[in-house]
Amino acid sequence: MEEQQPPIKRFSAKKKADIVMDIFQGKTTVTEVSRKYDLTPATIEEWMEEARAGMENQLRARPKDIAAVYEEKIKAMKEVIGELTLENIAFL
């Protein structure tokens, strides 16, 4: 007999925004939201970070398009991967 996987929870962008705004406004906490929706705090904190980044970009005099934002994230991740690779090589 096959073990059933729990259904994947999906939230609309609107629902995520509402949740994050409630946290930013002090109406609720990450812990409360985590319990209410059975989510990890890390997931909620990721939504909060995405919201902060999006707000910062929208408040720029010349907002970057989505592709440029993702390119910057990829570049930063590649730098971290490169540093970690060098550290691993140094310990061999």
Side-chain angles (χ1 to χ4, degrees), residues 9-53:
K9 293 180 184 76
R10 300 208 185 266
F11 292 84
S12 67
K14 171 82 171 104
K15 183 65 177 174
K16 289 179 187 179
D18 289 344
I19 290 169
V20 168
M21 284 306 299
D22 285 348
I23 294 169
F24 285 164
Q25 294 172 347
K27 295 177 181 177
T28 190
T29 65
V30 170
T31 303
E32 290 170 346
V33 171
S34 178
R35 286 187 196 131
K36 181 176 180 179
Y37 295 104
D38 192 29
L39 295 168
T40 65
T43 297
I44 299 160
E45 288 166 0
E46 184 178 319
W47 294 353
M48 293 169 67
E49 184 54 39
E50 289 172 0
R52 281 186 200 102

Side-chain angles (χ1 to χ4, degrees), residues 10 37 46 62 67 72 91-92:
R10 300 208 185 266
Y37 295 104
E46 184 178 319
R62 300 197 299 147
E72 280 185 6
F91 289 112
L92 291 179

